[in-house]
Structures are given as C-alpha cells and as structure tokens.
Amino acid sequence: MDARDTVKLAAVQLGEKKVRTALTIIMVIIGVASIVALTSQTAGESQSIQKSLGSLGPTAILVSPSGKTLLTSADVAEISSLPNVSSVTPIVTGSGTLTVDGVNQSVTIVGVSTNGLSEIMGNSTFLYQGSLYSDNTTPASAIGYDVAYSSSTEPDVQQVGAGETGTIQTASKSKIAVSIEGVLDEHGTSLISVDNTVFFSLPFAEVLLHKDSYSEILVKATNASSVTALTSLLEVVYGDNARITNTAQLASTFSSITSSTTTLYLIIAGISLLVAAIGIMNVMLMSVSERIHDIGIFKSIGFESKDVLVLFMLQAIFIGFIGGFLGLGTGVAASYAISYAGGLHSGPTGAVTPGSFTGGAGSGSFADRGSSGFAGAGGGGAVFVSSTSGSGGGFESTSSSSPTSSSSSSSTITPVFTLSVILESIAVAVAISIIAGIYPAWKASKMEPIDALRTL
Amino acid sequence: MIMPHYSVQVRDIEKIYHSGDITVTALESVSFSLREGEFAAIVGPSGSGKSTLMNILGTIDKPTNGEVYIDGVPISKMNGNQLAEFRNKKLGFIFQAYNLIAGLDAEKNAELPLMASPVSSDERKERADRLLGSLGLAARLKLKPTQLSGGEQQRVAIARALVNNPALILADEPTGNLDTKSGDEVIKLLRQVSKDRKVTIVMVTHNLDITKYCDRIIHIRDGRIEKQEVLK
Ligand SMILES: Nc1ncnc2c1ncn2[C@@H]1O[C@H](COP(=O)(O)OP(=O)(O)OP(=O)(O)O)[C@@H](O)[C@H]1O
Ligand SMILES: [Mg+2]
C-alpha cells in the first residue's frame, strides 16, 4: 500500500471520530506543553543564574562571617595582603522601606563603595540614569532598576528617578531623608540583589543599619586559575570563623538545585504524558474494536497484515504528532505566560522576589545538602548575603518585608527554548503514541478476515 | 489431474467445526468445477453450508480436508500474505450487507482493492470512475455509502469487486437486502459481467427466481451437493 493512501485512510478513520480524536490530542498537548513550559522555565532560570554568576566573574570569592565572628577593616587589610588578590570589597546589607512621593516599597539596602559597586556589577559602566553617590557619609543613594520601575500595574512607567528625594526607614532607625543620585542598569536575577536594592556609601550604610562590622567581603582573585588556591588559603586563615564561597562552587550548587527542580518538573510532565499514552491506547483499542468489520473488509480484498498494522499505527502517530506540535506551541505560550505573570517561583502574592530561588517562606524545601547555606535578606534579596544564624545548609528566608508592600515587578525568568527541547518534546509525543499504538494495531493486524467479517 | 481451463476446481472438501464437544460437519465431500466465465448459483436451505463454501472459495477460510484450485493454483499451499495478494489479484467479493467502508466515498470504495496493489492513483481513479459510470453511478462518485440507496451501494460493491479484473467473483446473497427490482438489476449486471469479461461468478441465493440467469445451479443440503443443474 502506498504511503499517501495509508495516510489518507488513517486520516479518514480519525476524522470519523472527531471529538474523541480531539480529546486524545488534548491529552498529548497537556503532556508536551508541560514538558516544554517547565523545562524552558528551568533552563531560563539556570541561564539567568549562570549569567549573574558570570557578571560577578569567575574570580569572585565571598567571605561571610560565621558564628560570632565580626569582619572588620582589619580583615580587609589582611585579605588584601594575601597573594593573588586583585580587589577586596567590604559590604554591609540590610533591609528597609523606601518612601518616595508617599509610595512605600520594601528594598534591600546595600552599603558598598563605588569601586565595590562596579565589582558587583561586573562592569565599569552600569548607570542607567544620573550619577553615583560619593564615598562619604552623605545620605545619597543609587537605586536598582526595579526600585525605579516599581509599579506592577504600569511596569513601563518610571516611578522614581534620579534627582528625587525620599526617606528610608530601617528596623532600628527612624525615617532618614535620602537623595537619589542615580538609577542602575537592569541587572536581572542576581546573587546580590541589585534591581531591588538601594545602594549607599559604605560609611552611610554602616550608620543607617547600625553596623560596626561587614556583612560580607567580596574578594576577587587576580585570575581564574588562582581562585582555588586563594579559596583554600582563605579557608586556612579563617577556619570555622567564616564561610568561603567562590563562583564555581555557587554555580555548581545552583545547577544542582535547578537540576533537582528540573527532575521534579519532568516527573510531573512524565505523569501527564503517561496519562496521554493511556488515553491514546484506550482510543486506539476502541477504534480497533469498532473497526473489526472494516478490518475484515480490508483483509478480504487483499490488504496484508502489515498494511492494517501501519494503518492503525499511523492513527496513533497522527495523534502524537499533532498533539506534539500543538503541545509545543501551547508550552511556549504557557512558558511566556508564566514569566509574564511573575514566574513559577513567585510567592503567594504573585510578586517575584528578586534573587530568591524558591520564593517566600518554606523555601528550605529545596535545600541543597552540599551548600553552605544562603539566606535571603531583605525582600528575598541578596542570596549572596549570609546571615549568621548558624543553621548552615539550606535556604532561609529572613525577609522582613511584608508581601503587600513588596513592589518588585520584574526579575522574571526569560524562558529558554533549546532546539533539543523542541525536538525532544515532539519525539517524546510521537514515541508515546507509537508505544501506545503498537498493541491495538498489532491486535488489529492479527485478526483473521473471516472472524473480523463475522463481527458486526 | 487439473484441467487448466477450469477456473475453479473444488476437490472433495470437507469442513468440520469443533465447538467444545460438539462437532458440526458444515461441508462433506464437496467437489465441482467451473469453467472460466461461468455464472454459478449455490442454493440450499439455511445452515446447509453455502457461506462456509463461499468463504473457502474466497480463501478466507480453510477446508478441513480437500483442495481448492483457483485458476489452477492450489490455495492450501499459500501463507497469509500470499493469500492476501492472491485475493487482491484474482478475487472479488460481493456481500449481502454491501460491506463498504463508511468513511470513504463511492469512488474511493471502488478504488480500495487497488490501493493494496501497485497501481498508480490516476489509473486507479480512472478505472473506478469508468466502472461506476458503467454501473450508472457517474453522478454518485463523491457520495458516502450512507447517502446511497441499497441498490446503489451494492453496485458500488460490484465496482469494487471488478476493479482489479478478478478471475473469480464470490457473491454471498448479493440481492438479500434488495427489493426485487434492484435485485434483478444486480443479477443482470453480474450476468453481463461474466459474459463480457469472462469472469467466473459464484453466487449464493435463496431466490430461485433469479437462478434463471445462471449457467449452473448447485444445490446444497446438509453440507453435501445434492444435485447440479446446468442450464442452457
Ligand atoms: N464458526 C463456526 N463455528 C461452528 N459452526 C459453524 C461456524 N460457521 C458455520 N457453522 C455451522 O456450519 C453450518 C453451515 O453454516 P453456513 O453459514 O455455511 O450456512 P449457510 O448455508 O450460509 O446458511 P444461511 O443460508 O442461513 O446463510 C451451520 O450449521 C453453522 O452453524
Ligand atoms: Mg450464509
């Protein structure tokens, strides 16, 4: 039997049961769409993490205090004197509420020198608007992109701009008037919260946050090959008094987190595909038993078993193929919709917490045993920034912001569609349809024409 | 000794059905021969074994004993795929219930046997159209079976049975579902086909009236040939 005829006959048979065929195709669509949407989201997420890590550079090493240790300027001096050190950036972090024109928003507060800021941004030009603050105690700030574009309803309208003034309030201090000198470029999901952060000079932030020690020290090695040696040296110097983390370790930690999320998603998607496969098999078995008489006719007028086999297999493959393509389209659309709506990891209010990988409370469920424990400070802010609560291992959300005042609007994940995901999802759909179709088709092909003809 | 000018030779066939402890002998020592282009009727009471014999002639059932030669070929020697090809090349079937494929229009139904053989789609279509036209269905090509009358459906089935230029057409009660007028038309068509195309036709019927168009009448009772009449 020639291929075109077989395809036509298979299509005719499917077309006779339009509703049933459509429902089965929908099952496949759901399965494939969930694979596509979930994998593209995780791929997008891991890409944005890798990018952020990349912007910090492969030479970044983070020194975070552990237990009762305080990091001071003496530590900065000591680290600077070590070999292979290119820069040392002390950072203080905290959280607070920024009020401009009567509008409150929860922000992460980071105190860092202007030179240090360019180390964090991984670039020497990063100003979107205005200028930077000066490295003295003036209450001047530079704000992250999302702080400027804070409205969730009008994400394209700038709410806060360079040159404006506002007040900042922290848990420990009453309102302090601050000027906004500049707005930073959009940085994306980042290890140090940038987009949702108000940056001050180090001395001002120390006063504002009541800190007499540093929250972190960001160290950059002279080159990538000296990172491991420098990391080991810092570990020797600090022992149990600080955690030393470098970009490579972070990258592997995050990739293991994303891969475990991916696995979870794939299990979910796999279950829906299994359901689809059972649906296809069910429909095919029904189709075969309804067509026994037709099979008898086909065979009596000279169609061979393999013709009948192919005829029924093709019907299953059609369902898989159409479902696969439509599922791919649906998945792509769904993935963008997820990103648009604020990401898979959005908290209960739907607001995305920048830099937070799991969103909101209970984020410890994705704890990674190998990690040294990152904690989100501020509005789920800088994952990089460690707390000293000592419960290493796992994420902690020390967010002090109330979800309702959170105004972060972007930092969503741009889904990534790789060619392999696209091809695989179609292939998977066709494969399950083949697997589900084999038995019914085989059953049909093995039927004796005389028995088949007797069945009405 | 096989005589090559015989289109059908049935040699001493027997068909025994076993269902549980009961054995039914549906056919017993049935032998007859038909010449090329002969139009034979098989008549007999219900349950006498007519359909069983037709299925064996149609190679979709096997006799328990005995041999059937069609165009000189012993069909017991062939496997399933060879039989399928054989049916496709040499046989045509007409059923009481027409047995058209519901999803296909008249033209496609008539083309169907050629889809299982290496005939180009143009030639296939042309042959089907020509046949359907000669059967008075030129205006019905694109209609589905449900849109056709019983007589029209049976004529589509005849076109399907003829489209592969078979040596033997097997028709089991082809007029069983038709009124007298359209039944008569169908029989006349078959008569004409066997004459014009030298196609051998074996037809089962309960209607003794229509056997007058046939060359030979085989009477079956209790699985045996009771008598054979050869008409002018
Ligand atoms: N698959 C089967 N299993 C058991 N017995 C069968 C089977 N097929 C037919 N028979 C028996 O064989 C006998 C002949 O049946 P067959 O169908 O050939 O009769 P028929 O002459 O065509 O009758 P009718 O005119 O009613 O169509 C019957 O007694 C029937 O019960
Ligand atoms: Mg019968």
PDB file of all heavy atoms in Angstrom, chain A residues 151-177:
ATOM      1  N   SER A 151       6.144  50.019  39.762  1.00  0.00           N
ATOM      2  CA  SER A 151       4.716  49.747  39.681  1.00  0.00           C
ATOM      3  C   SER A 151       4.449  48.421  38.981  1.00  0.00           C
ATOM      4  O   SER A 151       4.963  48.167  37.894  1.00  0.00           O
ATOM      5  CB  SER A 151       4.020  50.867  38.924  1.00  0.00           C
ATOM      6  OG  SER A 151       2.692  50.486  38.658  1.00  0.00           O
ATOM      7  N   SER A 152       3.637  47.591  39.609  1.00  0.00           N
ATOM      8  CA  SER A 152       3.317  46.316  38.967  1.00  0.00           C
ATOM      9  C   SER A 152       2.225  46.517  37.914  1.00  0.00           C
ATOM     10  O   SER A 152       2.103  45.735  36.994  1.00  0.00           O
ATOM     11  CB  SER A 152       2.870  45.289  40.008  1.00  0.00           C
ATOM     12  OG  SER A 152       1.858  45.858  40.811  1.00  0.00           O
ATOM     13  N   THR A 153       1.466  47.593  38.058  1.00  0.00           N
ATOM     14  CA  THR A 153       0.411  47.815  37.066  1.00  0.00           C
ATOM     15  C   THR A 153       0.913  48.589  35.859  1.00  0.00           C
ATOM     16  O   THR A 153       0.434  48.400  34.757  1.00  0.00           O
ATOM     17  CB  THR A 153      -0.780  48.577  37.687  1.00  0.00           C
ATOM     18  OG1 THR A 153      -0.263  49.725  38.361  1.00  0.00           O
ATOM     19  CG2 THR A 153      -1.523  47.713  38.684  1.00  0.00           C
ATOM     20  N   GLU A 154       1.902  49.443  36.100  1.00  0.00           N
ATOM     21  CA  GLU A 154       2.465  50.195  34.977  1.00  0.00           C
ATOM     22  C   GLU A 154       3.977  49.983  34.934  1.00  0.00           C
ATOM     23  O   GLU A 154       4.745  50.869  35.292  1.00  0.00           O
ATOM     24  CB  GLU A 154       2.179  51.693  35.133  1.00  0.00           C
ATOM     25  CG  GLU A 154       0.703  52.063  35.081  1.00  0.00           C
ATOM     26  CD  GLU A 154       0.492  53.500  35.520  1.00  0.00           C
ATOM     27  OE1 GLU A 154       0.681  53.788  36.723  1.00  0.00           O
ATOM     28  OE2 GLU A 154       0.172  54.337  34.671  1.00  0.00           O
ATOM     29  N   PRO A 155       4.382  48.780  34.530  1.00  0.00           N
ATOM     30  CA  PRO A 155       5.810  48.458  34.607  1.00  0.00           C
ATOM     31  C   PRO A 155       6.681  49.311  33.685  1.00  0.00           C
ATOM     32  O   PRO A 155       7.896  49.350  33.842  1.00  0.00           O
ATOM     33  CB  PRO A 155       5.866  46.978  34.225  1.00  0.00           C
ATOM     34  CG  PRO A 155       4.583  46.697  33.539  1.00  0.00           C
ATOM     35  CD  PRO A 155       3.582  47.701  33.997  1.00  0.00           C
ATOM     36  N   ASP A 156       6.064  49.990  32.712  1.00  0.00           N
ATOM     37  CA  ASP A 156       6.863  50.789  31.790  1.00  0.00           C
ATOM     38  C   ASP A 156       7.008  52.249  32.238  1.00  0.00           C
ATOM     39  O   ASP A 156       7.697  53.026  31.595  1.00  0.00           O
ATOM     40  CB  ASP A 156       6.233  50.763  30.388  1.00  0.00           C
ATOM     41  CG  ASP A 156       6.228  49.352  29.831  1.00  0.00           C
ATOM     42  OD1 ASP A 156       7.127  48.564  30.216  1.00  0.00           O
ATOM     43  OD2 ASP A 156       5.330  49.044  29.023  1.00  0.00           O
ATOM     44  N   VAL A 157       6.319  52.583  33.291  1.00  0.00           N
ATOM     45  CA  VAL A 157       6.358  53.973  33.742  1.00  0.00           C
ATOM     46  C   VAL A 157       7.312  54.109  34.924  1.00  0.00           C
ATOM     47  O   VAL A 157       7.192  53.408  35.923  1.00  0.00           O
ATOM     48  CB  VAL A 157       4.948  54.451  34.159  1.00  0.00           C
ATOM     49  CG1 VAL A 157       4.991  55.897  34.638  1.00  0.00           C
ATOM     50  CG2 VAL A 157       3.977  54.288  32.997  1.00  0.00           C
ATOM     51  N   GLN A 158       8.278  54.983  34.738  1.00  0.00           N
ATOM     52  CA  GLN A 158       9.247  55.167  35.819  1.00  0.00           C
ATOM     53  C   GLN A 158       8.595  55.910  36.986  1.00  0.00           C
ATOM     54  O   GLN A 158       7.997  56.966  36.811  1.00  0.00           O
ATOM     55  CB  GLN A 158      10.460  55.943  35.307  1.00  0.00           C
ATOM     56  CG  GLN A 158      11.564  56.002  36.351  1.00  0.00           C
ATOM     57  CD  GLN A 158      12.878  56.478  35.771  1.00  0.00           C
ATOM     58  OE1 GLN A 158      12.959  56.838  34.604  1.00  0.00           O
ATOM     59  NE2 GLN A 158      13.911  56.455  36.594  1.00  0.00           N
ATOM     60  N   GLN A 159       8.708  55.329  38.168  1.00  0.00           N
ATOM     61  CA  GLN A 159       8.075  55.909  39.350  1.00  0.00           C
ATOM     62  C   GLN A 159       9.052  56.789  40.134  1.00  0.00           C
ATOM     63  O   GLN A 159       8.673  57.784  40.719  1.00  0.00           O
ATOM     64  CB  GLN A 159       7.559  54.800  40.280  1.00  0.00           C
ATOM     65  CG  GLN A 159       6.682  53.766  39.579  1.00  0.00           C
ATOM     66  CD  GLN A 159       5.331  54.317  39.176  1.00  0.00           C
ATOM     67  OE1 GLN A 159       4.777  55.168  39.864  1.00  0.00           O
ATOM     68  NE2 GLN A 159       4.807  53.859  38.042  1.00  0.00           N
ATOM     69  N   VAL A 160      10.299  56.345  40.162  1.00  0.00           N
ATOM     70  CA  VAL A 160      11.293  57.075  40.939  1.00  0.00           C
ATOM     71  C   VAL A 160      12.487  57.343  40.027  1.00  0.00           C
ATOM     72  O   VAL A 160      12.956  56.423  39.338  1.00  0.00           O
ATOM     73  CB  VAL A 160      11.758  56.242  42.162  1.00  0.00           C
ATOM     74  CG1 VAL A 160      12.718  57.052  43.013  1.00  0.00           C
ATOM     75  CG2 VAL A 160      10.564  55.778  42.993  1.00  0.00           C
ATOM     76  N   GLY A 161      12.975  58.541  39.987  1.00  0.00           N
ATOM     77  CA  GLY A 161      14.075  58.842  39.091  1.00  0.00           C
ATOM     78  C   GLY A 161      15.227  59.538  39.799  1.00  0.00           C
ATOM     79  O   GLY A 161      15.120  59.946  40.960  1.00  0.00           O
ATOM     80  N   ALA A 162      16.331  59.657  39.053  1.00  0.00           N
ATOM     81  CA  ALA A 162      17.497  60.344  39.597  1.00  0.00           C
ATOM     82  C   ALA A 162      17.130  61.790  39.903  1.00  0.00           C
ATOM     83  O   ALA A 162      16.386  62.416  39.151  1.00  0.00           O
ATOM     84  CB  ALA A 162      18.643  60.284  38.593  1.00  0.00           C
ATOM     85  N   GLY A 163      17.654  62.284  41.010  1.00  0.00           N
ATOM     86  CA  GLY A 163      17.395  63.660  41.375  1.00  0.00           C
ATOM     87  C   GLY A 163      16.270  63.808  42.382  1.00  0.00           C
ATOM     88  O   GLY A 163      16.102  64.868  42.976  1.00  0.00           O
ATOM     89  N   GLU A 164      15.493  62.759  42.568  1.00  0.00           N
ATOM     90  CA  GLU A 164      14.414  62.854  43.544  1.00  0.00           C
ATOM     91  C   GLU A 164      14.950  62.621  44.957  1.00  0.00           C
ATOM     92  O   GLU A 164      16.084  62.177  45.147  1.00  0.00           O
ATOM     93  CB  GLU A 164      13.324  61.815  43.242  1.00  0.00           C
ATOM     94  CG  GLU A 164      12.598  62.100  41.929  1.00  0.00           C
ATOM     95  CD  GLU A 164      11.319  61.293  41.823  1.00  0.00           C
ATOM     96  OE1 GLU A 164      10.482  61.361  42.737  1.00  0.00           O
ATOM     97  OE2 GLU A 164      11.168  60.576  40.803  1.00  0.00           O
ATOM     98  N   THR A 165      14.126  62.925  45.922  1.00  0.00           N
ATOM     99  CA  THR A 165      14.499  62.613  47.304  1.00  0.00           C
ATOM    100  C   THR A 165      13.386  61.801  47.934  1.00  0.00           C
ATOM    101  O   THR A 165      12.250  61.805  47.475  1.00  0.00           O
ATOM    102  CB  THR A 165      14.697  63.887  48.144  1.00  0.00           C
ATOM    103  OG1 THR A 165      13.530  64.692  48.021  1.00  0.00           O
ATOM    104  CG2 THR A 165      15.927  64.657  47.725  1.00  0.00           C
ATOM    105  N   GLY A 166      13.752  61.068  48.971  1.00  0.00           N
ATOM    106  CA  GLY A 166      12.769  60.244  49.660  1.00  0.00           C
ATOM    107  C   GLY A 166      13.253  59.987  51.069  1.00  0.00           C
ATOM    108  O   GLY A 166      14.199  60.631  51.543  1.00  0.00           O
ATOM    109  N   THR A 167      12.608  59.075  51.730  1.00  0.00           N
ATOM    110  CA  THR A 167      13.075  58.705  53.066  1.00  0.00           C
ATOM    111  C   THR A 167      13.318  57.212  53.101  1.00  0.00           C
ATOM    112  O   THR A 167      12.702  56.445  52.357  1.00  0.00           O
ATOM    113  CB  THR A 167      12.043  59.057  54.148  1.00  0.00           C
ATOM    114  OG1 THR A 167      10.828  58.355  53.864  1.00  0.00           O
ATOM    115  CG2 THR A 167      11.779  60.548  54.211  1.00  0.00           C
ATOM    116  N   ILE A 168      14.223  56.828  53.965  1.00  0.00           N
ATOM    117  CA  ILE A 168      14.491  55.403  54.151  1.00  0.00           C
ATOM    118  C   ILE A 168      14.297  55.092  55.624  1.00  0.00           C
ATOM    119  O   ILE A 168      14.674  55.872  56.486  1.00  0.00           O
ATOM    120  CB  ILE A 168      15.916  55.040  53.656  1.00  0.00           C
ATOM    121  CG1 ILE A 168      16.095  53.519  53.579  1.00  0.00           C
ATOM    122  CG2 ILE A 168      17.009  55.631  54.536  1.00  0.00           C
ATOM    123  CD1 ILE A 168      15.982  52.997  52.186  1.00  0.00           C
ATOM    124  N   GLN A 169      13.652  53.964  55.864  1.00  0.00           N
ATOM    125  CA  GLN A 169      13.426  53.569  57.245  1.00  0.00           C
ATOM    126  C   GLN A 169      13.866  52.126  57.433  1.00  0.00           C
ATOM    127  O   GLN A 169      13.552  51.257  56.625  1.00  0.00           O
ATOM    128  CB  GLN A 169      11.930  53.675  57.593  1.00  0.00           C
ATOM    129  CG  GLN A 169      11.643  53.292  59.027  1.00  0.00           C
ATOM    130  CD  GLN A 169      10.281  53.809  59.469  1.00  0.00           C
ATOM    131  OE1 GLN A 169       9.354  53.849  58.667  1.00  0.00           O
ATOM    132  NE2 GLN A 169      10.167  54.204  60.713  1.00  0.00           N
ATOM    133  N   THR A 170      14.624  51.918  58.487  1.00  0.00           N
ATOM    134  CA  THR A 170      15.034  50.549  58.813  1.00  0.00           C
ATOM    135  C   THR A 170      14.418  50.189  60.161  1.00  0.00           C
ATOM    136  O   THR A 170      13.838  51.036  60.843  1.00  0.00           O
ATOM    137  CB  THR A 170      16.563  50.432  58.908  1.00  0.00           C
ATOM    138  OG1 THR A 170      16.993  51.308  59.947  1.00  0.00           O
ATOM    139  CG2 THR A 170      17.231  50.814  57.615  1.00  0.00           C
ATOM    140  N   ALA A 171      14.604  48.931  60.538  1.00  0.00           N
ATOM    141  CA  ALA A 171      14.017  48.469  61.793  1.00  0.00           C
ATOM    142  C   ALA A 171      14.553  49.258  62.981  1.00  0.00           C
ATOM    143  O   ALA A 171      13.862  49.532  63.949  1.00  0.00           O
ATOM    144  CB  ALA A 171      14.303  46.981  61.975  1.00  0.00           C
ATOM    145  N   SER A 172      15.831  49.679  62.869  1.00  0.00           N
ATOM    146  CA  SER A 172      16.476  50.262  64.032  1.00  0.00           C
ATOM    147  C   SER A 172      16.456  51.786  64.060  1.00  0.00           C
ATOM    148  O   SER A 172      16.751  52.406  65.054  1.00  0.00           O
ATOM    149  CB  SER A 172      17.924  49.771  64.082  1.00  0.00           C
ATOM    150  OG  SER A 172      18.520  49.983  62.825  1.00  0.00           O
ATOM    151  N   LYS A 173      16.124  52.391  62.930  1.00  0.00           N
ATOM    152  CA  LYS A 173      16.223  53.857  62.860  1.00  0.00           C
ATOM    153  C   LYS A 173      14.918  54.470  62.398  1.00  0.00           C
ATOM    154  O   LYS A 173      14.140  53.841  61.688  1.00  0.00           O
ATOM    155  CB  LYS A 173      17.308  54.234  61.824  1.00  0.00           C
ATOM    156  CG  LYS A 173      18.726  54.371  62.379  1.00  0.00           C
ATOM    157  CD  LYS A 173      19.031  55.847  62.607  1.00  0.00           C
ATOM    158  CE  LYS A 173      20.507  56.169  62.741  1.00  0.00           C
ATOM    159  NZ  LYS A 173      21.246  55.500  63.761  1.00  0.00           N
ATOM    160  N   SER A 174      14.706  55.677  62.778  1.00  0.00           N
ATOM    161  CA  SER A 174      13.523  56.352  62.255  1.00  0.00           C
ATOM    162  C   SER A 174      13.823  56.855  60.847  1.00  0.00           C
ATOM    163  O   SER A 174      14.940  56.739  60.350  1.00  0.00           O
ATOM    164  CB  SER A 174      13.139  57.511  63.178  1.00  0.00           C
ATOM    165  OG  SER A 174      14.248  58.351  63.334  1.00  0.00           O
ATOM    166  N   LYS A 175      12.860  57.462  60.210  1.00  0.00           N
ATOM    167  CA  LYS A 175      12.999  57.889  58.825  1.00  0.00           C
ATOM    168  C   LYS A 175      14.149  58.864  58.633  1.00  0.00           C
ATOM    169  O   LYS A 175      14.305  59.806  59.403  1.00  0.00           O
ATOM    170  CB  LYS A 175      11.698  58.560  58.366  1.00  0.00           C
ATOM    171  CG  LYS A 175      10.602  57.558  58.073  1.00  0.00           C
ATOM    172  CD  LYS A 175       9.390  58.226  57.458  1.00  0.00           C
ATOM    173  CE  LYS A 175       8.318  57.170  57.227  1.00  0.00           C
ATOM    174  NZ  LYS A 175       7.090  57.727  56.672  1.00  0.00           N
ATOM    175  N   ILE A 176      14.919  58.603  57.590  1.00  0.00           N
ATOM    176  CA  ILE A 176      16.028  59.493  57.265  1.00  0.00           C
ATOM    177  C   ILE A 176      15.844  59.936  55.820  1.00  0.00           C
ATOM    178  O   ILE A 176      15.554  59.113  54.939  1.00  0.00           O
ATOM    179  CB  ILE A 176      17.381  58.767  57.432  1.00  0.00           C
ATOM    180  CG1 ILE A 176      17.612  58.477  58.914  1.00  0.00           C
ATOM    181  CG2 ILE A 176      18.524  59.568  56.826  1.00  0.00           C
ATOM    182  CD1 ILE A 176      18.871  57.706  59.195  1.00  0.00           C
ATOM    183  N   ALA A 177      15.984  61.226  55.596  1.00  0.00           N
ATOM    184  CA  ALA A 177      15.848  61.711  54.225  1.00  0.00           C
ATOM    185  C   ALA A 177      17.085  61.335  53.425  1.00  0.00           C
ATOM    186  O   ALA A 177      18.210  61.447  53.912  1.00  0.00           O
ATOM    187  CB  ALA A 177      15.674  63.229  54.234  1.00  0.00           C
TER     188      ALA A 177
END
